[in-house]
Amino acid sequence: MGRDKGDKKSYELKTPKGTKDWDGKDMVIRDQIFSKITEVFKRHGAVTIDTPVFELKEILAGKYGEDSKLIYDLADQGGELCSLRYDLTVPFARWLAMNSSIQSIKRYHIAKVYRRDQPAMTKGRMREFYQCDFDIAGVYDPMLPDAEIIRITCEIFEALEWSGRYTIKINHRKILDGLFEVCGVPTEKLRPISSAVDKLDKSPWSEVRREMTEEKGLDPEVADRIGEYVVLSGGKDLLERSQKDEKLSARGLLERLQKDEKLSANASAKAGLDDMDLLFTYLETFEVLDRISFDLSLARGLDYYTGVIYEVITEGSRPQTSEEEDRSNDPSVGVGSVAAGGRYDGLVSMFSGKKDNLPCVGISFGVDRIFSITKQRRAADTSAAPIRLNEVDVFVMAFGSGLLTQRMQVAKRLWDAGIKAEFSWKAKPKLPQQFKAAEVNGVPWSVILGEDELAKGQCKIKQNGLSEDHPEKNGVLVEMKDLEAELFKRLGRKELGSLPESGVLLDGAKNGMNGLSLEEAAREAPKTG
């Protein structure tokens, strides 16, 4: 750490434990994940909000059950005790309580959260990490928003090209509470026992039973009754678990539980089973029921959940067992769930103090865990396209004397047209160096200027990376006045004058396409200001 050396100090330069710098190809992969997730969120009509990175300590206190010990508390600064946000859900509920005029909203939020957990950096378990949340708040007919959340989740993992490689585990807090009551769990132990059951994805039943009985004081006979239920699952099972019963469908398990006289006689369990019956009907309509595993071991440890709960797992979610080949250093193994959420109908009223609840349901995607698996899969896929560090479409280069001004003019024309372009920042760069710069960044096209071609009002367009025997290996001549149109065609733009992302096509670009010279375009452009 810091050591005195006269008036100076030397430091070990490092990021804090559980954090990392992002750059290069890692940033590209992560941004692609953000983009695909955001596209799905917007497709479903969501708007975005932002909240402070820290909240008043009492806002976060008591909302996370046993996980509250992972909250980062901040020192008193100016008379307010604050904590770094643990997730994006509680701040959203606080925001809704402060904006009581908003009675319905589809909202997404992409931001960093903080947890004082034991990190495993390569597996995406960090102390500072991104979450991408989608939530629906408002009073609607039962299970419709819940079904859309599941549909959104499937769309996102299909967009990430995880088809067939993920499962959405689903359960219902009311079913769990009813199950615990039927088995004889005292009311005051419902949440602690639920938290223990939630560890079944990481620990064997024997360890969970020991925690229930020895640490939490549950009667061993009650624990054994619970064990007969929590081994049950129905539907897709990406991570095969040993269980006493034959493999059931999600519907099959639901029907079996509905026939259980003890569960059906319990008001909480019956309400949860009715919800699941309706939800499965909607998921069949959305054609995503086949991605579901109805799993009674899923409990979700957070205290604020009140209804349907779910989490998304992949083949890398399960911790390695002793019988498996050693893959402890594989970043794609043991990352845990990659998304999770559920219904939390009472959270807003905890802040507002109003008796009328504002029901909410949502899901949070763990980008860093998704990134860790995506990167590992890319590394193993020899057919995957190389990762480009930028999105430049065209590199503008020149023969001979460098033609710096002319390269700058062409780059300006392309920028005005919404085409991503670069050129060398040397006045007289050598041609091989220019091609090397384009190659390093994976730029797909080059515009090549030469004095003889410019004198005839022409230039060359070249597709980079063509084989030596390709007829267009050395590029094709085009008229300078048609440069933008020719590039639009080669870049796959559907029509001439396609708008850039900003939605603005600058006047210089439009004039250039009409065949005017750069000087004429400058004279003809409308005056502003």
Side-chain angles (χ1 to χ4, degrees), residues 25 39 86 104 146 158 167 198 209 234 355-356 484 526:
K25 293 181 179 180
E39 182 181 356
Y86 178 90
S104 64
D146 311 70
E158 295 297 320
T167 294
D198 195 47
R209 184 185 184 279
K355 293 182 180 180
D356 295 334
E484 290 90 344

Side-chain angles (χ1 to χ4, degrees), residues 214-476:
E214 297 180 16
E215 296 182 20
K216 299 182 175 176
L218 189 66
D219 187 314
E221 291 185 6
V222 173
D224 290 337
R225 287 196 288 270
I226 292 172
E228 293 177 4
Y229 284 102
V230 295
V231 295
L232 301 177
S233 68
K236 182 177 180 180
D237 199 351
L238 190 65
L239 311 180
E240 292 293 343
R241 296 188 299 121
S242 60
Q243 58 185 56
K244 302 175 184 177
D245 304 278
E246 72 280 4
K247 185 63 186 169
L248 297 169
S249 67
R251 275 284 187 195
L253 178 56
L254 177 62
E255 291 169 1
R256 172 174 173 168
L257 296 175
Q258 288 172 324
K259 293 175 182 177
D260 187 308
E261 294 181 359
K262 292 181 179 179
L263 285 181
S264 297
N266 180 277
S268 176
K270 185 178 186 307
L273 292 170
D274 289 346
D275 276 351
M276 294 296 274
D277 198 351
L278 186 58
L279 177 63
F280 287 176
T281 298
Y282 294 151
L283 296 182
E284 286 172 339
T285 301
F286 281 151
E287 299 184 353
V288 293
L289 186 58
D290 61 336
R291 328 284 169 83
I292 299 300
S293 171
F294 182 13
D295 193 328
L296 291 185
S297 71
L298 178 64
R300 302 290 297 143
L302 303 182
D303 280 359
Y304 52 65
Y305 288 123
T306 59
V308 171
I309 50 177
Y310 32 76
E311 68 180 25
V312 182
I313 59 171
T314 183
E315 70 270 16
S317 296
R318 177 185 56 188
Q320 180 180 314
T321 65
S322 57
E323 292 81 14
E324 292 178 307
E325 175 188 356
D326 183 13
R327 296 178 65 196
S328 57
N329 293 322
D330 187 338
S332 69
V333 173
V335 301
S337 63
V338 292
R343 176 160 288 279
Y344 52 102
D345 285 347
L347 191 54
V348 177
S349 63
M350 290 177 65
F351 296 123
S352 67
K354 296 180 179 180
K355 293 182 180 180
D356 295 334
N357 291 330
L358 183 61
C360 299
V361 62
I363 189 165
S364 177
F365 296 85
V367 173
D368 297 280
R369 293 182 177 187
I370 292 172
F371 163 84
S372 138
I373 294 174
T374 300
K375 183 178 179 181
Q376 184 71 12
R377 288 177 180 171
R378 276 182 175 269
D381 184 1
T382 56
S383 64
I387 297 173
R388 294 180 55 192
L389 295 181
N390 62 37
E391 297 182 4
V392 171
D393 297 317
V394 179
F395 199 96
V396 182
M397 56 184 71
F399 287 103
S401 60
L403 300 173
L404 176 60
T405 302
Q406 291 86 342
R407 284 187 287 128
M408 293 174 69
Q409 289 174 327
V410 169
K412 183 263 182 192
R413 278 177 59 174
L414 301 185
W415 295 334
D416 284 350
I419 296 173
K420 302 175 180 118
E422 278 189 328
F423 63 94
S424 172
W425 286 344
K426 288 190 174 183
K428 295 182 179 180
K430 296 180 179 179
L431 195 61
Q433 293 174 340
Q434 297 174 83
F435 276 118
K436 183 66 176 178
E439 178 187 340
V440 166
N441 288 323
V443 181
W445 294 91
S446 293
V447 170
I448 306 173
L449 308 181
E451 293 179 354
D452 292 342
E453 289 83 3
L454 285 175
K456 301 175 184 176
Q458 297 176 323
C459 67
K460 278 188 176 182
I461 294 179
K462 170 179 162 53
Q463 183 176 355
N464 299 325
L466 294 178
S467 61
E468 290 295 334
D469 58 351
H470 195 282
E472 295 184 0
K473 168 67 179 176
N474 296 318
V476 294

